[in-house]
Amino acid sequence: MRFILLVFINAFAVGLSIACVNFYFQHSWQHFFVTFAISLTISFLAFYYLFQRYIYNKIKLIYKLIHNLKLGKDLKEALGEKMSDDPINDVEQQVRDWAKEKKKEIDTLKEQERFRREFLANISHEFKTPLFAIQGYVDALQDGMMLEDPELATQFLMKASQNLDRLTFLIKDLDEISKLESGQIPINYERFDLVALIKEVLESMEDKAGMHDITLVFKEKYQHPMMVRADREKIRQVFVNLIDNSFKYGKTKGETNVRIYELFETVLVEVTDDGIGIEEKNLPRVFERFYRTDKSRSRKIGGSGLGLSIVKHIIEAHQQTINVRSTEGVGTTFAFTLEKVKLTI
């Protein structure tokens, strides 16, 4: 309908123009109307033929290809389907929608490219630091500088060994993230008592907490079993990484609290510290690989910089959610959910 209207408007304009020119020379209304009628008819037929052959059919074809190829259909199938009754209007909307989708794809690709550059720079730095340290210690030993001081040589060997351990942790964590992303590490679901697991983890980390002068708190009210369905060993790793992270950014004589809350079909777990906190602008990036909010301090304490990224992958592999909230100078809370086991009577 819009196509016919468009042709008629163009034919009307041409016919009126020709009739006006004729009236200017003939000064006759009869000639004006006859000329207008003939010009309108001829112009309409001519425009209809030209528009139909060279414009309208091509627009219908473009619309058909855009509409169907967006649905994932191949070219042959797309060409064989029935077209819209108003392809001019539809193709405009289709192109607008397509342009929005492509813009989103381009923005995503740019963000991924930025992340890739940062990741390569970070991983290069993380590997170079221990490698250069090891190389320095080994070179010193090879040059015979420590032959007269066996105690110093032993210290150099211990430091080289510590840097080798750091490289081992990096490689192990990178390998684990890669396997989690590709699904090579299966989630071995089982039913277990979450309260018992938390107590085990806290007990195993008491010595490390003492080294940082941080108190681990799990309220005595959590005495009754809380049954969940998950991979017990991987959830243990989640707790270890989150609590270890609280040591890095917690304050001296501070606390790390673990709390659990029953929701409808899930259990909400929170690990909270009262440390330095995280700037709001950094919160969306805390789960990125190697991203550190306080790089100088966390590197002194140690770690691969992949702990929180591994935590996020493990929780998402369980098809659950994890988030973080923080206030600078007050502390940080990491919260994640687990599937609750329904009790049967």
Side-chain angles (χ1 to χ4, degrees):
M1 190 66 186
R2 289 185 62 186
F3 170 69
I4 300 296
L5 181 62
L6 179 64
V7 172
F8 179 79
I9 291 173
N10 282 275
F12 182 87
V14 172
L16 183 62
S17 299
I18 295 174
C20 288
V21 171
N22 182 271
F23 180 80
Y24 177 79
F25 288 104
Q26 299 293 333
H27 300 287
S28 170
W29 285 105
Q30 182 179 0
H31 283 84
F32 173 83
F33 287 112
V34 170
T35 304
F36 175 72
I38 295 173
S39 300
L40 177 63
T41 303
I42 295 174
S43 298
F44 180 84
L45 294 174
F47 281 134
Y48 185 87
Y49 172 77
L50 293 173
F51 276 45
Q52 181 78 18
R53 179 169 181 178
Y54 295 106
I55 299 176
Y56 188 66
N57 285 339
K58 289 181 172 57
I59 291 176
K60 288 170 75 176
L61 178 62
I62 292 171
Y63 163 75
K64 195 162 44 171
L65 289 173
I66 293 174
H67 178 72
N68 290 286
L69 292 177
K70 279 181 65 180
L71 300 177
K73 300 177 180 179
D74 60 29
L75 186 61
K76 185 177 180 180
E77 184 180 359
L79 290 172
E81 285 205 358
K82 184 180 178 181
M83 292 170 281
S84 170
D85 294 330
D86 190 6
I88 294 178
N89 184 49
D90 289 344
V91 76
E92 178 185 4
Q93 187 59 43
Q94 291 281 351
V95 170
R96 288 179 183 274
D97 293 342
W98 205 3
K100 290 179 181 178
E101 291 179 9
K102 293 303 175 185
K103 184 179 184 303
K104 289 181 180 178
E105 290 180 10
I106 292 171
D107 291 341
T108 301
L109 289 172
K110 287 181 178 179
E111 181 64 19
Q112 290 175 347
E113 175 64 16
R114 179 196 64 78
F115 176 78
R116 185 187 67 83
R117 288 196 303 267
E118 289 187 3
F119 174 72
L120 290 175
N122 286 329
I123 196 172
S124 174
H125 180 82
E126 294 292 340
F127 274 98
K128 281 193 299 185
T129 302
L131 279 174
F132 286 165
I134 293 169
Q135 184 179 13
Y137 296 134
V138 172
D139 287 346
L141 292 169
Q142 284 181 332
D143 292 341
M145 295 174 61
M146 308 300 164
L147 294 178
E148 298 178 359
D149 192 343
E151 185 177 344
L152 186 59
T154 301
Q155 292 179 6
F156 271 43
L157 286 172
M158 289 179 62
K159 290 180 179 179
S161 178
Q162 290 171 357
N163 280 278
L164 280 172
D165 289 341
R166 183 178 176 185
L167 279 176
T168 302
F169 291 142
L170 276 170
I171 295 170
K172 180 179 69 68
D173 286 350
L174 281 171
D175 182 59
E176 185 165 5
I177 286 180
S178 176
K179 289 179 179 178
L180 283 167
E181 287 181 337
S182 61
Q184 295 180 29
I185 298 181
I187 302 299
N188 300 314
Y189 286 99
E190 60 179 303
R191 296 183 178 187
F192 63 91
D193 181 9
L194 182 61
V195 172
L197 175 62
I198 293 173
K199 290 180 178 179
E200 287 178 20
V201 173
L202 295 182
E203 184 178 350
S204 68
M205 302 189 74
E206 279 184 355
D207 291 341
K208 192 170 185 179
M211 293 171 58
H212 294 281
D213 202 5
I214 289 176
T215 304
L216 299 176
V217 180
F218 187 52
K219 297 294 185 181
E220 292 183 359
K221 68 177 182 177
Y222 302 116
Q223 294 297 329
H224 302 290
M226 178 71 68
M227 302 303 295
V228 296
R229 180 176 175 270
D231 188 318
R232 195 176 194 275
E233 289 308 308
K234 288 185 175 58
I235 298 305
R236 177 195 293 275
Q237 185 177 4
V238 168
F239 278 113
V240 170
N241 286 356
L242 290 178
I243 294 171
D244 187 66
N245 186 76
S246 73
F247 296 161
K248 296 176 183 177
Y249 298 100
K251 67 180 181 181
T252 304
K253 299 186 183 301
E255 289 186 351
T256 294
N257 280 272
V258 180
R259 302 183 181 92
I260 54 177
Y261 305 93
E262 288 190 73
L263 302 180
F264 294 104
E265 296 182 350
T266 60
V267 175
L268 176 66
V269 183
E270 291 188 346
V271 178
T272 303
D273 65 63
D274 53 2
I276 60 176
I278 305 170
E279 289 185 75
E280 185 177 355
K281 66 178 182 181
N282 293 325
L283 286 176
R285 303 189 61 188
V286 295
F287 294 108
E288 290 183 13
R289 302 174 189 179
F290 298 115
Y291 188 77
R292 304 173 191 259
T293 56
D294 188 347
K295 296 184 178 180
S296 59
R297 183 182 177 197
S298 57
R299 280 205 174 96
K300 289 177 182 177
I301 296 174
S304 66
L306 298 169
L308 293 181
S309 183
I310 291 174
V311 165
K312 183 173 185 290
H313 278 86
I314 290 175
I315 296 301
E316 290 183 347
H318 281 78
Q319 297 182 347
Q320 297 296 322
T321 59
I322 183 168
N323 59 73
V324 57
R325 61 183 186 271
S326 183
T327 303
E328 283 188 89
V330 176
T332 303
T333 297
F334 288 91
F336 63 92
T337 58
L338 292 173
E339 180 184 348
K340 183 171 66 175
V341 174
K342 297 180 180 178
L343 298 177
T344 56
I345 300 176

